[in-house]
Amino acid sequence: VETFQLAGAGPLAYEEHLVSRIFDPLAARLVTLVAPAPGDRVLDVACGTGAVARRASASDATVVGVDLNDGMLALARQLAPSARFVPGDAAALPFPAHSFDLVYCQQGLQFMADPAAALRSMFQVLRPGGRIAVALWRDLALSPGFAALVDALDRHVGPDAGNVLRGPFAMGEHTAVAGLAAAAGFDAVRVSNVCLAVPFPSVPELVSLEIASTPLADAAGSWPAGALAAITADVAAALHGFTADDGLLFPMGGYVVTGRSPDV
Ligand SMILES: C[S@@+](CC[C@H](N)C(=O)[O-])C[C@H]1O[C@@H](n2cnc3c(N)ncnc32)[C@H](O)[C@@H]1O
């Protein structure tokens, strides 16, 4: 499993280039779909730089974020001083049972070695009657900007590079995830459609910013000469139909699984 670990300048690049275009708009949708009630204790699992935690903090809630990655957490703390951010693994959340009223997990479950265990751990930290909302991408084919990039990475660098960007789209099968949520104990499990329109100024920027802001950054220094230019040319050809004078705009298909911990 690709665990989406960023080092060095990675968290800042992720925040600057991807959160504004993708993860903050998604967090806004998520927090609208399942809104914190006043006074709710909210947990953001796999919080990264805290996109969901920040949106949830806008309401009168007490917000905690948890993530494996210390660099992501350090940036999250700077960006949301009113929330608390702690290191931890989603499969063994470092909180007592029944500590939260609402648990979010946005684009994190697909990076976990044992997503079923992570959902069980989220269930345990929720109080009876508490709610969960898990956001995931649908199949890569429903995100044409990334499908084009994955194709070009396969062709010009190799499948290891393509697979890094396949990772985020690895849990596109919503019925399977809904089944995992039900198996973890949640009831009233529902799936909602979410589709974003993602802007980038140009194809070269899509390619270079995606490489800088994802785990591809580590390997990119050792790619063959000319690979970047070849990737960019292929992506430009594939995305011609999504470009205009004001740049690039392509859809990203996603969904949100919601559920509730039964009252005792
Ligand atoms: C694509 S980022 C999403 C971050 C954030 N939720 C957002 O929407 O911007 C995926 C995050 O999952 C975290 N992650 C991966 N496996 C994890 C695990 N087992 N427990 C906690 N966090 C994990 C990574 O460290 C990374 O910050």
Side-chain angles (χ1 to χ4, degrees), residues 3-5 14 23 46-48 67-69 72 88-90 106-107:
T3 62
F4 204 91
Q5 291 308 299
Y14 176 85
F23 296 95
C47 62
D67 199 285
L68 280 182
N69 187 303
M72 294 291 226
D89 184 342
Q106 172 170 292
Q107 306 304 344

Side-chain angles (χ1 to χ4, degrees), residues 2-6 14 19 23-24 26-27 44-52 66-69 72 88-91 93 105-113 118 168:
E2 161 61 50
T3 62
F4 204 91
Q5 291 308 299
L6 300 180
Y14 176 85
V19 172
F23 296 95
D24 176 61
L26 183 61
D44 178 8
V45 175
C47 62
T49 57
V52 173
V66 61
D67 199 285
L68 280 182
N69 187 303
M72 294 291 226
D89 184 342
L93 288 167
C105 183
Q106 172 170 292
Q107 306 304 344
L109 204 65
Q110 65 272 60
F111 305 112
M112 295 172 190

Side-chain angles (χ1 to χ4, degrees), residues 141-236:
L142 294 173
S143 291
F146 289 87
L149 189 49
V150 166
D151 265 1
L153 286 164
D154 281 350
R155 200 170 310 122
H156 298 294
V157 183
D160 286 352
N163 286 342
V164 171
L165 285 194
R166 279 191 184 84
F169 304 92
M171 289 187 89
E173 184 39 68
H174 64 277
T175 50
V177 178
L180 289 180
F186 291 101
D187 68 9
V189 174
R190 281 178 55 86
V191 180
S192 300
N193 271 307
V194 175
C195 188
L196 298 184
V198 174
F200 276 88
S202 66
V203 166
E205 279 162 287
L206 168 69
V207 173
S208 62
L209 297 179
E210 269 304 318
I211 291 168
S213 312
T214 64
L216 286 170
D218 289 344
S222 55
W223 289 354
L228 191 61
I231 291 166
T232 305
D234 280 13
V235 174

Side-chain angles (χ1 to χ4, degrees), residues 35-41 59-62 101:
D40 265 1
R41 299 159 300 168
S59 64
D60 175 26
T62 305
D101 304 291

Side-chain angles (χ1 to χ4, degrees), residues 6 9-24 47-51 54 72 75-76 79 213:
L6 300 180
L12 189 57
Y14 176 85
E15 173 65 31
E16 284 184 348
H17 305 308
L18 301 188
V19 172
S20 58
R21 293 187 171 94
I22 300 174
F23 296 95
D24 176 61
C47 62
T49 57
R54 289 198 291 273
M72 294 291 226
L75 191 51
L79 296 170
S213 312

